[in-house]
Amino acid sequence: MLDYGLIGCGCHAQWAVIPALQSAGCCRLKAVADISETNLAKVNPPGVTPYRDYAAMLAREKLEAVFIATPVEVHAAAALAA
């Protein structure tokens, strides 16, 4: 099972990314990061740690992969950090 983190928890992540990775059966969501408290509140499965800062998530979590679902203008910075 691949432990992954998610950066960006908006509509695309909620409606497409999380369901697709859950249905794959080989991934386990361990942590999510988003600057929006509202988005974080909508993505709160048990055992998943929320972060307001993706850098903190990357520093603290032991992740094997990171899915980045941020707006285009901040995608590169998150990808380089991951």
Side-chain angles (χ1 to χ4, degrees), residues 7 14-18 38 44 55 58-59 73:
I7 300 174
Q14 294 170 32
W15 295 96
V17 175
I18 294 171
T38 302
N44 62 352
L58 295 171
E73 61 272 10

Side-chain angles (χ1 to χ4, degrees), residues 19-81:
L21 291 173
Q22 285 176 334
S23 69
C26 61
C27 302
R28 179 177 36 236
L29 183 59
K30 298 296 286 181
V32 294
D34 199 295
I35 60 172
S36 166
E37 283 289 338
T38 302
N39 287 346
L40 287 175
K42 292 179 181 177
V43 181
N44 62 352
V48 175
T49 306
Y51 291 90
R52 292 284 309 273
D53 177 12
Y54 69 78
M57 179 187 82
L58 295 171
R60 293 183 186 136
E61 299 289 332
K62 292 184 180 182
L63 303 170
E64 298 169 286
V66 175
F67 194 103
I68 301 169
T70 62
V72 173
E73 61 272 10
V74 294
H75 193 99
L80 289 171

